Amino acid sequence: MAAGAVAAATALLVLAAAAAAVSGLPAINVTAMVFEEGYAPLFGQDNILRSADGRTVSLLLDRSTGSGFISSSMYQHGFFSASIKLPSDYTAGVVVAFYTSNGDVFEKRHDELDFKFLGNIRGKPWRVQTNVYGNGSVSRGREERYVLPFDPTTEFHRYSILWTAAAVAFYVDDVPVREVRRSPAMSGDFPSKPMSLYATVWDASTWATSGGRHRVNYRYGPFVASFTDLALLGCRADPIRMVAGGASCAADEEALRASDVAVMTVEKQQAMRRFREQNMVYSYCYDTLRYPAALPECDVVESERRRFRDSGHLRFALRRRGPRRSSRGAAARRAVAAARAAAYRAKKQAADRTSW
């Protein structure tokens, strides 16, 4: 990729001039792609449904299997983004994941950056977990968990991962919610090898909700996670040699790091601090039972630290004001579930008649 590709990369990440209504930050303006342009089915092919224009993909979890897709290429650094709508109602034990990894290639020293969306019992919110692994450092998990300031099941919201040689940042809509800056002390724990982008939905009954106390209940299925506004930006790696493309990738990396989305302005830092103060419920940086000495990249904020127990969990429950449910609403929810199941069966029958 030469100058034209660098210009395209820069244009792709230019922030729109209008401010986003909720965050007060400029909206991230990305160029979305059709599924076939950058992705392929990974597993559960019969449970992957695509819109007619190929721009929206729904992943289904039912009694038979979950499902997932993968990017067609591996990338050395980049910006990976999608707007996602999560399953509604009772979702205990369900996990929706949007992440980069090279675990299929480097089984014992893999890198990974992930959003994991953890389902819950009815009336309790979805929780979002982010994590960073480098060079197989799974024994040093760097998990953080948040609740979202909106209902992620009623409309699409954008989730993005920015990965450069200097830092990793996770975005929810236009707000950075976490930044991990590379430091020499992190050594190989910072992701450094080419990765693919994955999106999956699966049954994690053994751990996802209350440590496995609440399992997936398939009476509420199928569980549908929908993805749209799919965006991939990065330097493609050679699939055989597992290295990126030399000078052209260096130019792309420079353009990426200089782009507005990668520059952590004061306004972004303030928005990130507000999000974390209002929505973070666990951080490994404050889990002194697990890590008596904080890991090197942790930026321990004293006012923030006081809000957490030694276990890294929040000292008090965050309360969200939601709509009041009535007994009559239960019948309506059952009717919606029945209609959803009927629509799913019709789509699946249609999908069975259409080959990939």
Side-chain angles (χ1 to χ4, degrees):
M1 286 185 279
V6 174
T10 305
L12 182 63
L13 291 173
V14 169
L15 300 180
V22 176
S23 68
L25 295 174
I28 296 175
N29 184 26
V30 295
T31 301
M33 62 173 58
V34 174
F35 181 82
E36 289 80 0
E37 292 177 346
Y39 308 89
L42 178 64
F43 70 99
Q45 188 162 294
D46 290 342
N47 278 7
I48 303 176
L49 303 178
R50 290 173 290 173
S51 62
D53 62 4
R55 294 189 176 276
T56 300
V57 181
S58 291
L59 299 181
L60 282 65
L61 167 66
D62 60 17
R63 293 180 186 274
S64 63
T65 183
S67 52
F69 61 82
I70 184 174
S71 61
S72 303
S73 300
M74 299 184 79
Y75 294 85
Q76 182 67 48
H77 307 138
F79 183 73
F80 313 94
S81 186
S83 293
I84 305 172
K85 184 164 68 172
L86 298 174
S88 60
D89 208 355
Y90 185 98
T91 55
V94 177
V95 168
V96 176
F98 181 74
Y99 63 106
T100 63
S101 178
N102 48 36
D104 292 339
V105 179
F106 304 100
E107 291 186 17
K108 298 191 177 189
R109 52 188 188 93
H110 84 285
D111 306 299
E112 185 173 322
L113 302 169
D114 62 50
F115 276 109
K116 283 191 176 74
F117 303 91
L118 311 177
N120 219 327
I121 60 175
R122 181 181 291 148
K124 298 291 185 180
W126 280 83
R127 292 148 304 140
V128 182
Q129 177 173 293
T130 61
N131 210 340
V132 176
Y133 292 121
N135 208 34
S137 58
V138 293
S139 63
R140 294 181 296 282
R142 290 169 158 86
E143 301 94 339
E144 288 191 345
R145 288 187 181 183
Y146 327 90
V147 294
L148 294 169
F150 50 78
D151 183 347
T153 72
T154 58
E155 58 186 12
F156 287 92
H157 288 269
R158 179 173 290 283
Y159 305 90
S160 308
I161 300 171
L162 173 72
W163 172 41
T164 71
V168 169
F170 296 88
Y171 280 80
V172 173
D173 288 327
D174 312 304
V175 178
V177 302
R178 179 181 183 184
E179 183 186 34
V180 178
R181 300 203 64 80
R182 187 174 195 168
S183 69
M186 283 188 74
S187 187
D189 284 7
F190 190 88
S192 60
K193 299 184 292 297
M195 293 190 278
S196 300
L197 186 282
Y198 295 79
T200 58
V201 58
W202 43 287
D203 185 329
S205 289
T206 58
W207 66 271
T209 308
S210 300
R213 190 163 71 247
H214 301 288
R215 304 179 67 83
V216 174
N217 187 335
Y218 286 101
R219 289 185 303 165
Y220 296 94
F223 303 97
V224 182
S226 297
F227 298 75
T228 192
D229 297 333
L230 300 166
L232 287 172
L233 175 67
C235 190
R236 291 181 174 88
D238 185 307
I240 305 300
R241 297 168 56 220
M242 283 294 109
V243 294
S248 62
C249 276
D252 288 345
E253 169 82 10
E254 183 178 351
L256 180 65
R257 292 175 64 174
S259 66
D260 287 345
V261 74
V263 176
M264 197 62 65
T265 63
V266 171
E267 291 77 15
K268 285 185 182 180
Q269 292 173 4
Q270 292 172 341
M272 180 166 63
R273 178 62 55 82
R274 286 193 298 270
F275 181 95
R276 294 169 68 83
E277 288 177 348
Q278 296 168 9
N279 301 283
M280 189 165 70
V281 295
Y282 172 82
S283 174
Y284 73 103
C285 287
Y286 301 123
D287 190 344
T288 56
L289 300 180
R290 186 180 182 188
Y291 301 116
L295 294 183
E297 72 281 0
C298 286
D299 181 15
V300 175
V301 179
E302 186 59 28
S303 60
E304 190 175 85
R305 186 195 64 77
R306 289 195 295 266
R307 300 170 56 240
F308 293 87
R309 299 187 178 98
D310 292 343
S311 63
H313 293 278
L314 200 64
R315 290 183 180 276
F316 53 86
L318 291 176
R319 299 196 177 275
R320 301 283 185 224
R321 181 173 295 178
R324 183 174 296 174
R325 296 182 182 270
S326 66
S327 57
R328 287 180 296 179
R333 290 193 297 274
R334 287 194 293 270
V336 169
R340 184 173 60 188
Y344 161 65
R345 287 192 292 269
K347 287 182 179 180
K348 195 165 185 179
Q349 288 171 359
D352 288 342
R353 295 192 295 269
T354 304
S355 66
W356 280 84

